[in-house]
Every structure is written in C-alpha cells, then in structure tokens.
Amino acid sequence: MLIDRHHRPWFAATLILGGGALAAYIFDPQAPMQGRGGGTIAGLTLGIAAYGIMLFCAALSVKRRVPHWKIGPARAWLRGHIWLGLLAVWLVALHASFSLGGPLTAVLWALLGIVTVSALFGIILQQLVPRLLLHSVPGETLAQQLDRQLSYVSERLAATIVEYAGSIHAAAPGWSAQAATVYAEREKAALESIAEGSAAATVAPPVDHRVHDMNKPPFGAEPLRRFYHEYIIPFLQPTQRVSPLANAGRADSLFVALRTMTPPHIHPGIDEVRDLVTRRRMLLRQRDLMRILFAWLLVHVPMSWGLLLLVGAHAIYALRFLQH
C-alpha cells in the first residue's frame, strides 16, 4: 500500500493515542508505590490495548482468507494495520517500562523487533516496487496471469519460427506448409516442457513422412532456426539469466546480426521474435519484483503469529502471578 494523503488521519490519530498513552504512563498514580510498568492498572491497560491491536492486525490475515467477509474497506484495514501496529510497539514499550525484563519478555522483545523491522521493510518495498514496475515493466500483467503469459510467449516464439522458417527442427529438410502444420502440432509437447522448465527441449519428427515433399523451406531461414536452438531455447529454461537474450543490449546486438544473415522476407519474423523475447524479459522482471515484494511476508507473517501466541502466554502467566 502506498503511503499518501489518505494516511494523514491515521497518522494524526496514532500521534494522539500515543501521546495519551505516554501521559497515562507518566502520571500513573500507582507509580510512586509500585513503580511504572505492567504491575499497575495503567500499565496493565496499556498491555491489554497493545494485545488488542495485535489481534486486530492478525485479523487482517484471516479476513484475506475469507473473501465474503465484508467488514469495512480493505484499504481501511491496511491503513489500520500499519499505523495501529506501530502504535502497539509504543504501547508495549510503555507497558514494559522500557526494560527487557526476564527471559520470556526478552524473547518477546526480539520477536517484536523482527516483526516491526519486517513490517517497515515491507512498507518501503510497497513504495518502491510499484514504481519500478511502472517504469521498467511497461504493459505489466496480473500476478496470477504471469505463468500463463510466459507459456503463451513460449508458444508464440515456436509458432513464429515455424511460420517463417518452416520448422523449429534444427536439421529439417524441405517441408511444405502441411508439414509445418504437423510440426506445429507435434511440437506442443516440447513447448509444454519448456514452459515447465525442462532441462532440454527436443522435437520429434512427424510420424507420417508422407507429408514431406520436394518444396523448399523459406529461402535463407536456416539462421533463424539455428538462432532458436542456440539462443531462444536456453532463454526459455530456468537458467535463462545466463542467456544473452536476458540482457537487452546483448539481445539487440544478436538480432541485428541475425538480420544481416537473413534475406528481407525473413525480417518480419525476426522482428516478431525480438518483440516476444522482449515481452518475456519484461514478464520475468515483473515476476522477480513481485517475488521480492511478497518475500518479506515469509518472515513477517510467521513471526507475527508466533509473537501473538507468546504474548498470550505472557498475559496468562502475568495475570496468574498478580492473583497470587
């Protein structure tokens, strides 16, 4: 979520509530006798308020998993999650009287620190990644459609080679248009294996060799077929980062060289292949940025639930101790 002018009321409310909590901590009437902290009514109230906010923050995770819960706008929940979560850290500090306490409270402080830092890191990422996507990944797609789009690009690349070179088979003899169609059908399995990240993509020759005739494949198409096997197939593998096509500058140089080795009637196919390679490179960049954006949740969410459970145990232990 972007931090914009809509967060100003939440920021102001956080400052006011935080100031009120500080006043309650400073002017606690029980402080001269019992000391400040969780042992007084004010300190206990601050702790209960902090735990209530933690429960609210955890409820956001539950709400996301139950889409039919229409309890307020999602943006309001997110803003409350951010600002009330920060307020909870301040309330915990006042409740603990800014001390580490015993071993359990020290662990709680460590968990709270990890949760807070990971939350701030996530907020920073959410300010930067959308802007990076806007400027470096034009025409970005939905995250749920990324795999489908990558598969589509792989299929279109092979289909374009078939269209302009007669076949993607490296050593194909002269095939007619009918033979190219057979190849396109038989190559679907190989394209699926490419999309799934198989280590190699091989294409079997057509079963029915009667489709072969003496027609020549498109004149000058052999460099385009070699380019597909030497550069495009490696670019479609999980190790695509080592492919020259993963770098925009090197890819442009390769396509310029390919155009010089092919006659003009092949150039439209080369341009289409170049556009598809560029599209795949953009989709991969978007996937990387989205993975970075969501990777912090692998730390933030489990630590948050662990903190919530331990705080509950701490509260039960503390209340039992006060009763005795």
Side-chain angles (χ1 to χ4, degrees):
M1 165 173 279
L2 293 176
I3 305 297
D4 53 20
R5 59 185 179 84
H6 297 97
H7 286 256
R8 291 174 184 173
W10 288 95
F11 176 69
T14 300
L15 287 180
I16 293 172
L17 292 173
L22 179 61
Y25 173 80
I26 293 175
F27 300 107
D28 184 356
Q30 293 180 289
M33 296 176 292
Q34 300 183 27
R36 292 185 174 87
T40 67
I41 294 178
L44 185 62
T45 302
L46 292 173
I48 293 173
Y51 191 58
I53 292 175
M54 292 180 188
L55 291 173
F56 165 78
C57 292
L60 176 62
S61 177
V62 177
K63 181 179 181 296
R64 284 175 169 172
R65 286 165 172 77
V66 188
H68 63 272
W69 280 9
K70 304 297 182 182
I71 310 174
R75 290 185 176 275
W77 277 78
L78 287 170
R79 291 168 189 148
H81 188 88
I82 293 171
W83 295 105
L84 293 180
L86 292 174
L87 176 62
V89 178
W90 176 241
L91 296 181
V92 168
L94 296 175
H95 169 75
S97 192
F98 303 95
S99 64
L100 288 178
L104 177 59
T105 53
V107 172
L108 289 173
W109 270 117
L111 283 175
L112 182 61
I114 294 173
V115 170
T116 304
V117 171
S118 63
L120 294 174
F121 181 69
I123 293 172
I124 294 172
L125 282 179
Q126 291 177 30
Q127 310 313 301
L128 297 178
V129 171
R131 291 183 174 88
L132 289 174
L133 286 171
L134 178 64
H135 295 293
S136 64
V137 186
E140 63 174 292
T141 189
L142 295 174
Q144 296 86 347
Q145 297 293 325
L146 273 173
D147 290 339
R148 183 178 299 177
Q149 287 291 319
L150 288 168
S151 297
Y152 172 77
V153 169
S154 298
E155 293 170 2
R156 285 300 309 154
L157 280 167
T160 303
I161 301 300
V162 170
E163 179 182 355
Y164 285 89
S167 170
I168 63 172
H169 198 275
W175 295 102
S176 63
Q178 183 184 3
T181 301
V182 174
Y183 259 107
E185 294 175 354
R186 300 290 294 174
E187 286 156 2
K188 286 183 180 180
L191 296 175
E192 291 175 357
S193 67
I194 290 172
E196 295 172 357
S198 62
T202 58
V203 179
V207 174
D208 188 358
H209 290 271
R210 290 174 295 177
V211 297
H212 173 261
D213 62 15
M214 298 305 295
N215 294 335
K216 296 294 182 183
F219 171 73
E222 182 60 27
L224 183 57
R225 282 199 298 271
R226 290 202 308 268
F227 187 88
Y228 178 80
H229 283 267
E230 293 177 9
Y231 294 104
I232 294 179
I233 287 181
F235 183 56
L236 299 178
Q237 303 305 314
T239 56
Q240 75 275 342
R241 298 183 190 283
V242 301
S243 169
L245 297 182
N247 180 276
R250 295 179 66 186
D252 288 342
S253 299
L254 287 171
F255 281 113
V256 169
L258 180 61
R259 288 175 68 92
T260 63
M261 294 186 291
T262 53
H265 65 274
I266 303 294
H267 292 176
I270 295 175
D271 293 338
E272 185 174 346
V273 169
R274 181 192 60 204
D275 293 341
L276 289 168
V277 166
T278 301
R279 176 62 177 162
R280 177 177 173 81
R281 192 162 54 239
M282 294 298 100
L283 290 171
L284 291 173
R285 185 173 300 172
Q286 178 183 348
R287 188 177 66 181
D288 290 343
L289 290 173
M290 296 302 293
R291 284 176 175 175
I292 293 173
L293 180 60
F294 293 110
W296 66 277
L297 291 173
L298 298 177
V299 175
H300 183 71
V301 173
M303 289 295 181
S304 297
W305 282 104
L307 175 65
L308 194 66
L309 293 175
L310 282 181
V311 169
H314 167 73
I316 294 172
Y317 175 80
L319 289 175
R320 291 182 60 184
F321 178 79
L322 289 175
Q323 290 176 355
H324 294 291

